[in-house]
């Protein structure tokens, strides 16, 4: 056991800013001096870099990751009467966006290992109203997109990837947005590519999605003074400047996250009372979160309280699954298709350990040491 108590933060935003301050400051100043802050040249530049990063034809900057989802749903004609199949163990916004578009969220169980949607549960949930599959690349690892694509082709369904958490990840032979109609991204500060505030984007190879989302985000306008009903959901040029500076570091930051994940997984291998994250062979997991699960649900809150008391800002993602939220489903249409024991286990047992590129070996080792100490006391 290490003697000294450390405070280990959950996020490293300020460390990250200090590491590349000159690059971020230069872009911010460039925007400030340009006099163009909305739909300006910095946004255009960042959209083109983001499309290159994903290997897609198009990238459209919007206000946040939730808007990216429902603007995409609307662009694809998903609305009232349509059903979208997804999971309940995700951030609330996935279902929220389906409801904002006026469609019905249908929840199936998640895979017990990856915690992403279980493709073998999808077909039983399909009805004549099913219009789209909405897999979430939870915690930074892609869902099984090949299986999802096959089901979508067989049943003529749209696929929208909620990629708020996995920028820079890939599967075995597929990239994000390769096997779908569009993928959406969130740039809120805590995501792997985060700005100092809110932001989001849609990446797609579909020209119509590009055209319609571009129009919808800007008051239904693609020509000065001409409008159809739309919304105001643009990515500001200041945020685009921050993101453009950070995008260049995204792969190197993913490598660091993966390095810390390897260190956690080696260090925690002997623990008897927890399960460690699973990596699908051939996939690149970018560890937005490093999520362990207590083997028994009754141990979770105790471990979380123990780590917090030891100075480690561990958290839970997500302790209350969407169907367990108070007021669910807010009077909006939703249904659960079949039992969802894996999603419920994930909500009951999950703990996220500190995970960000700027962690130090000392912080990771201290965290490992404290988890092992708890584990010994439980035995
Ligand atoms: C963060 C997140 C969103 C929403 O993104 P915002 O930018 O906060 O609107 C949607 N889905 C998932 C899975 C997320 O993690």
């Amino acid at each position: 056991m290490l003697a000294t108590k450390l405070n280990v933060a959950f996020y490293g935003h300020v460390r990250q800013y200090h590491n590349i301050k000159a690059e971020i400051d230069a872009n911010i100043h460039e925007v400030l001096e340009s006099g163009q802050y909305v739909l300006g040249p910095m946004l255009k530049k960042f959209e083109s870099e983001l499309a290159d990063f994903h290997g897609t034809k198009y990238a459209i900057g919007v206000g946040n990751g939730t808007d990216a989802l429902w603007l995409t749903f609307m662009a694809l004609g998903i609305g009232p009467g349509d059903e979208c199949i997804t999971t309940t163990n995700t951030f609330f916004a996935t279902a929220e966006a389906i409801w904002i578009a006026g469609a019905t969220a249908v929840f199936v169980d998640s895979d017990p290992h990856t915690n992403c949607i279980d493709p073998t549960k999808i077909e039983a949930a399909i009805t004549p109203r099913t219009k789209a599959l909405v897999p979430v690349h939870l915690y930074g690892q892609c869902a099984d997109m090949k299986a999802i694509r096959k089901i979508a082709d067989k049943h003529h369904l749209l696929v929208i990837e909620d990629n708020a958490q996995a920028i820079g990840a890939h599967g075995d032979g597929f990239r994000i947005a390769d096997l779908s109609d569009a993928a959406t991204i969130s740039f809120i500060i805590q995501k792997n590519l985060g700005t100092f505030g809110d932001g989001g984007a849609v990446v797609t190879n579909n020209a119509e999605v590009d055209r319609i989302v571009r129009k919808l985000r800007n008051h239904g306008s693609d020509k000065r003074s001409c409008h159809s009903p739309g919304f105001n959901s643009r990515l500001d040029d200041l945020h685009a400047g921050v993101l453009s500076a950070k995008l260049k570091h995204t792969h190197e930051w993913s490598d660091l996250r993966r390095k810390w994940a390897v260190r956690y997984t080696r260090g925690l291998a002997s623990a008897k009372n927890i399960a460690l994250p699973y990596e699908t062979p051939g996939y690149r997991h970018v560890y937005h979160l490093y999520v362990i699960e207590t083997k028994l649900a009754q141990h979770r809150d105790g471990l979380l309280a123990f780590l917090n008391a030891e100075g480690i800002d561990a958290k839970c993602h997500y302790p209350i699954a969407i169907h367990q939220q108070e007021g669910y489903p807010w009077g909006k249409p939703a249904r659960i298709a079949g039992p969802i024991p894996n999603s419920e286990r994930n909500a009951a047992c999950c703990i996220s350990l500190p995970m960000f590129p700027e962690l130090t070996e000392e912080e990771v080792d201290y965290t490992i040491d404290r988890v092992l100490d708890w584990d010994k006391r439980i035995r």
Side-chain angles (χ1 to χ4, degrees), residues 64-75 97-98 100-101 231 233:
N64 55 66
T66 310
D67 288 3
L69 278 167
W70 63 260
L71 288 166
T72 301
F73 296 152
M74 286 193 186
I98 294 169
I100 292 171
F231 310 88
S233 182

Side-chain angles (χ1 to χ4, degrees), residues 5-27:
K5 186 171 166 180
L6 267 189
N7 284 316
V8 186
F10 196 74
Y11 301 116
H13 311 319
V14 178
R15 284 185 197 175
Q16 184 168 86
Y17 173 53
H18 289 159
N19 285 345
I20 59 161
K21 187 176 185 317
E23 294 159 65
I24 289 175
D25 289 358
N27 279 8

Side-chain angles (χ1 to χ4, degrees), residues 53-251:
F53 181 95
H54 286 88
T56 54
K57 288 188 186 144
Y58 311 102
I60 312 106
V62 298
N64 55 66
T66 310
D67 288 3
L69 278 167
W70 63 260
L71 288 166
T72 301
F73 296 152
M74 286 193 186
L76 287 166
I78 298 167
D82 298 329
E83 293 182 349
C84 297
I85 297 177
T86 189
T87 43
T88 73
N89 59 321
T90 167
F91 182 59
F92 193 71
T94 310
E96 195 179 29
I98 294 169
W99 291 325
I100 292 171
T104 299
V106 175
F107 301 108
V108 300
D109 205 11
S110 47
D111 177 90
H113 305 293
T114 66
N115 293 303
C116 295
I117 194 167
D118 181 347
T120 68
K121 300 295 187 320
I122 292 174
E123 282 197 283
I126 293 174
T127 73
R129 289 195 301 279
T130 307
K131 186 109 180 220
L133 307 179
V134 186
V136 181
H137 302 323
L138 197 72
Y139 303 150
Q141 178 164 244
C142 292
D144 183 351
M145 289 301 297
K146 286 183 184 168
I148 291 165
R149 184 70 255 164
K150 257 190 209 149
I151 297 165
D153 285 342
K154 183 169 161 198
H155 297 272
H156 308 291
L157 303 175
L158 298 164
V159 181
I160 299 94
E161 297 170 68
D162 181 343
N163 185 37
Q165 304 191 357
I167 190 164
H170 63 68
D172 55 341
F174 66 86
R175 296 170 303 181
I176 285 159
D178 273 354
L179 300 178
S180 65
D181 296 278
T184 63
I185 309 169
S186 166
F187 301 125
I188 191 169
I189 181 66
Q190 62 263 37
K191 298 293 161 68
N192 287 25
L193 173 60
T195 187
F196 302 120
D198 279 303
V202 179
V203 290
T204 181
N205 291 305
N206 181 323
E208 274 299 276
V209 170
D210 176 68
R211 184 183 69 78
I212 301 173
V213 171
R214 249 170 229 292
K215 203 169 159 181
L216 287 175
R217 75 168 176 185
N218 188 34
H219 304 291
S221 174
D222 54 10
K223 210 164 101 200
R224 192 165 177 81
S225 304
C226 300
H227 300 268
S228 55
F231 310 88
N232 177 352
S233 182
R234 297 166 300 223
L235 180 67
D236 299 339
D237 282 58
L238 272 174
H239 290 305
V242 172
L243 291 164
S244 172
K246 287 190 173 194
L247 183 64
K248 299 177 182 66
H249 297 277
T250 298
H251 286 313

